[in-house]
Amino acid sequence: MLHGGYQSVLEARSREEFRGEVIRFAQGLGFESVSATAVQDQSVGHAVFESVDNIRPDYLEHFEDVGNWRVDPVAQHCKRSSMPIVWDQSTYTTAGLGQLWESQAHYGYHTGICLALHMPEGRHFILGVDRAQSLHDEGGDVTRLVADLQLFAVCAQEAAWRLLMPSHFSAQSLNAHLTPRELECLRWTMEGKTAWEVGTILSISERTAVLHINNAMRKLDCSSKHQAVLKALRLGLIR
């Protein structure tokens, strides 16, 4: 079962409600600023962006400067990788961009965590949180923050497509025709079972269980089994 902010953002009913849940979750983790962006590639070099954030008005021009995105080491990392990045001043100075960090630090953007989900058909979701205070990894605190953000991002991206880009979301939903066996595999995956355990429960081979899960992922247009479970829950295909 999903709890707290994860379930709330998944069930958001409007753009403003979605924005409120994103901000509430980020601030609950100790980050003053947050941005959540859905990106749909249209053609080579052209994409559509839809965002919600609480960026300071006096920093907005800097934040939206495409020229900065093209050199910003955090943005470039997220463009290439799905691995989260924990960034601070050293991230920029190592890239020879200390001045860029200085300009954003003036507005309170000293350190943060950013991650991207890259999905089929040129869809991307980027979640970034920022703060003025340093991050101290005492007792694995940063590792837990990253894990919380990763799970939240999986839930938030589902709501983002539904609320920020509804026409694309509708097209996806029409194609979600899963077989009873695919739904059974997703239900047991939701319970935390591995493919081997799902196969044992359903009296099928592990390879067949993996095949059903992969088919469900493809039909639901998801890049992981966890995203597929969340989407199936949201569409009412499993309970």
Side-chain angles (χ1 to χ4, degrees), residues 4-120:
Y6 306 114
Q7 187 73 37
S8 297
V9 76
L10 195 62
E11 296 177 348
R13 293 166 294 179
S14 67
R15 185 188 188 105
E16 277 308 304
E17 188 174 332
F18 174 65
R19 176 178 179 271
E21 293 298 336
V22 170
I23 294 172
R24 187 175 298 112
F25 189 83
Q27 293 181 343
L29 293 182
F31 294 90
E32 297 94 358
S33 303
V34 61
S35 64
T37 305
V39 183
Q40 175 65 60
D41 294 335
Q42 298 289 315
S43 60
V44 177
H46 178 64
V48 176
F49 294 76
E50 287 289 342
S51 299
V52 296
D53 58 64
N54 65 341
I55 302 300
R56 286 176 46 166
D58 54 351
Y59 179 67
L60 199 57
E61 183 176 351
H62 177 97
F63 178 77
E64 294 179 344
D65 188 337
V66 177
N68 288 334
W69 293 2
R70 290 172 179 160
V71 298
D72 187 289
V74 177
Q76 291 305 303
H77 171 90
C78 290
K79 183 177 180 179
R80 299 186 306 267
S81 174
S82 294
M83 290 294 294
I85 180 172
V86 180
W87 63 269
D88 57 17
Q89 184 176 10
S90 65
T91 307
Y92 288 81
T93 55
T94 300
L97 295 165
Q99 188 172 359
L100 183 58
W101 181 87
E102 295 273 359
S103 63
Q104 66 185 40
H106 174 73
Y107 296 95
Y109 298 86
H110 287 240
T111 188
I113 304 170
C114 195
L115 60 92
L117 302 177
H118 301 291
M119 292 157 286

